[in-house]
Structure formats: C-alpha cells, structure tokens
Amino acid sequence: MRAITQTGIAVAVVLLALWVARDFLVALIWAGVIAITTWPIYVRFAQLISGRPSSLLASLLFTCIIGLVLLVPIVLTVRQVAQGSDALVHVLNRLREGGVVVPAWFAQLPIAGKYLDLWWRANLSRPEALTEWLRGVNIESLTSWTGTLGGALLHRLFLFAITLIALSLMLRDGTWFANRSVVTARRLLGKPGTRLIGKIADATRATVNGTIAAAIVKGAVVGIAYVMVGVPRPLLFSVMTIVLAMVPLGAWVALAAASLTLVVQDGSLLAPIGLFVFGAAVLLIGDNFIQPALIGGSAELPFLLVLVGILGGMQSFGLVGLFLGPVIMAALLTVWREWIGIRE
C-alpha cells in the first residue's frame, strides 16, 4: 500500500510539473535535442577552454556559438531579400505597366488552350486587373494580420532565448543529467534501462545529423538547377531551400517561389515547369528515401520505422516531432528487443 501511495504521489508531482512548464516544454525539448546532438563536440570544446565540461564559461561560449549558427542562415536570407528589393520593385513596376505577357505557345495547347489564353489576357495581361485586385485588399485586416505576426515573432524570440538559457545549463550539468537519467532508467527497467538511454541519445544525434545532411544535399542539387535555368538571385533561393528543407514542406515553398519568379521574369512556362518538376523529384526522393536512410543507418533503425517516426512525429508534435518521432521508434525497438531477449 505504501509503495502504491508513493508511486501515485510521484506521478502526480511529475504531471503537475509538466502542467506548470507546459508553455516552455517545446523550448526545453529543443534544448535537450541540441545538447544531446552536440555533446561530443562540446566535451572537446570544454577541454580546450577550461579542461572540464562543467565549466560555466565553456557552456556559455558554446551556447553563443550555437545561437550564431542558428541565426546566421536567417540573417543571410534577410540580407539577400533586402538586396533583392530593388529587383522586386522593378518587377512590380513592370507588372503594373504591362502585366504578364502571354506565352506564344499557350493558345496552342489542346482542348483548353484557347480558353486559358483568353483568361490569361483578361486577368494577368491587363495592368488594370492587378490594380483592381489591390484595391480590394482590406487594409484593416492586413494591419491586424501584421500586428499578430509581430506578436508571434516576439513570442518565438522569447522561446528562442529560453532555449539558449536551458541549453547552457544542460551543457554545464550534462554529466549530472546523464548519470541521473541512467540511474532512473535502471531503477525503472533494470539493466535494459542503460541501453535504452544510450539508444535514445544515438537516435537523437542520428536524426539531427541526418536531417541537416539531407537538407544540404537537397538544397545543393536544387540550387544547381536554379543556376542552370537562370533563376534570379540563385544564392538566395538556394539558402532558402536548404534552411526551409529542415521544416516540413518548407523546401516546397522555396521551390514554388523560385518557379514563380522565373515565370514573372521570362514570361515563359517551359523552364519554370521543368524546374518545379525536377525540384519536386529531388525533394520527394530526399524526404522519403535519403533522409530516412541517413537517419536509419546511424541509429540502426529499419527504414519503415524511421519513415513512420518522421511523418507521425510531425503530425503529432509539430516541427519538434521531426526529431522526437525517430527517437520514440528507437526506444520502442530497444524495449521490444529486450522483451523478446534479443541482444545487439
């Protein structure tokens, strides 16, 4: 009876603590994922700075470096966008003066070509249509949306600051956290608990490294296509593709933006359609084969479990589920192997 009471109190305290920290759980999870992934690098860094991983100076310096690594791609993208503002203004002025020119071959398309050509001339080739559309925009709604976006941005910056603070503390006390986690898992599961903690750490590192590597590969291949078809500011779109490839459906937004920009610049559909088809093939192969293979190979997970973990994790937990999903699957596989008596 006493053991049941103690267990009930412990569970209630844990649930209460999670409820209190519910608004910061995502930030804490991100800090934990980054800390586990970068721990081997941090240990070497701390040895150079102070000779021990528990140094506050080493954890603060390393956290600042991580913050810069996360912010530099965003800053570069904003800088490229700012540099391209003149080109955007030029494009908008050209659209206002002459609209979008109808491709010569558009009317020759079978069945619906004639009707599509008439629709294009009535809606896209007339500058008056664009002006009428802009007049129909609700300025009050736009202002309200902008204010909401600004508030959401400030909230994200606050959570980012919480993540960096938590990361610094986790790195400083990483050895303590690891030891306590192993002891807790061993008390709950026995000797398999130690292997479970190790498998979770390996799966976390494999997921992060695989996601980053896949994003770089997809962005680089699609970036070469940007240069070959003549997309304006290919460096900007390449950086956007790499950064957004780590976000669900993000790379598709960058690819669509590059294709639309090429349509506006050239007035032809052949090159933009070819670019989008090629980019879509690269993204589909990368998302469904390359990324799961990279993660599964490092984490020793079957391909199917990795794919289900990535897709199901994003559906259940959002962006952070991209990393939690494979980790949960790795924990499941470890428990199953221990249960049926298989040793790796």
Side-chain angles (χ1 to χ4, degrees), residues 8-9 24 48 106 145 166 182 212 218 221 253 270 311 328:
I9 294 175
F24 306 100
L48 295 175
F106 204 65
W145 178 83
V182 170
I212 294 175
K218 290 183 289 186
V221 174
V253 176
L270 184 60
L311 300 178
I328 294 173

Side-chain angles (χ1 to χ4, degrees), residues 4-14:
I4 296 177
T5 303
Q6 290 177 344
T7 302
I9 294 175
V11 172
V13 170
V14 170

